[in-house]
Amino acid sequence: MPRNEYPLSKQISLHNIVRVQQVIDFFVLSELQRGRLYGSELEQQIIVALGKQSPTNVGVNNGYLSARLKKLAEEGHVTRAWDGDNRYNRYYSITPRGHDYFKQLLKELPDQVDLAINTYTNFKHYIDRFGHIPLN
């Protein structure tokens, strides 16, 4: 039998299942639906949302969150402003363009999340297959 007589082809690459930037953008834009928030408040809301069913608090790297907030502002999805003279208290508000982007993410992300859950579940089973191999 020739090699790869019945090869499988990928329909999607692993890194395209759910992009971290989409997850962060979704969290930010969903929280800003309630009104303007400081960057630190957005970070806390992400920790709360991701840690609800977990014994471990999961968050996002501060530098990455700041970079995403800056990018969202550059793309016109959010506005950012300083609170008085304190350069560390920047607050964010969603724009009409941000509402449109949020709606787009709301359409795309559920299917991507389902695919990610399925993929990671299969990967967990694959890891379990090798759990009996000694690591020394």
Side-chain angles (χ1 to χ4, degrees), residues 71-116:
K71 187 73 170 171
L72 287 168
E74 289 171 354
E75 293 174 349
H77 300 303
V78 300
T79 59
R80 57 188 184 163
W82 301 111
D83 185 13
D85 291 335
N86 189 338
R87 304 292 287 176
Y88 296 101
N89 283 334
R90 189 178 294 188
Y91 61 86
Y92 298 85
S93 300
I94 193 167
T95 65
R97 186 173 179 159
H99 284 291
D100 292 341
Y101 178 44
F102 176 73
K103 289 175 189 175
Q104 175 190 341
L105 289 172
L106 199 54
K107 287 179 187 174
E108 295 173 4
L109 284 177
D111 289 339
Q112 289 177 326
V113 169
D114 288 343
L115 179 59

Side-chain angles (χ1 to χ4, degrees), residues 2-126:
R3 276 181 13 177
N4 286 335
E5 184 175 348
Y6 303 104
L8 297 174
S9 62
K10 63 184 173 193
Q11 294 174 323
I12 190 166
S13 293
L14 194 56
H15 76 279
N16 285 331
I17 293 178
V18 177
R19 293 189 177 120
V20 173
Q21 74 182 40
Q22 290 176 312
V23 173
I24 301 307
D25 291 356
F26 185 82
F27 274 119
V28 167
L29 296 174
S30 62
E31 289 300 325
L32 290 178
Q33 301 291 320
R34 299 180 301 142
R36 80 178 194 178
L37 292 169
Y38 292 100
S40 59
E41 291 175 310
L42 289 165
E43 178 186 24
Q44 289 301 299
Q45 290 304 320
I46 292 170
I47 292 169
V48 168
L50 293 177
K52 282 185 178 181
Q53 309 262 324
S54 171
T56 305
N57 287 337
V58 176
V60 62
N61 177 289
N62 288 342
Y64 190 76
L65 178 59
S66 293
R68 286 309 308 155
L69 289 168
K70 181 179 179 185
K71 187 73 170 171
L72 287 168
E74 289 171 354
E75 293 174 349
H77 300 303
V78 300
T79 59
R80 57 188 184 163
W82 301 111
D83 185 13
D85 291 335
N86 189 338
R87 304 292 287 176
Y88 296 101
N89 283 334
R90 189 178 294 188
Y91 61 86
Y92 298 85
S93 300
I94 193 167
T95 65
R97 186 173 179 159
H99 284 291
D100 292 341
Y101 178 44
F102 176 73
K103 289 175 189 175
Q104 175 190 341
L105 289 172
L106 199 54
K107 287 179 187 174
E108 295 173 4
L109 284 177
D111 289 339
Q112 289 177 326
V113 169
D114 288 343
L115 179 59
I117 290 168
N118 183 54
T119 301
Y120 284 114
T121 299
N122 290 337
F123 186 57
K124 170 83 170 83
H125 295 309
Y126 191 77

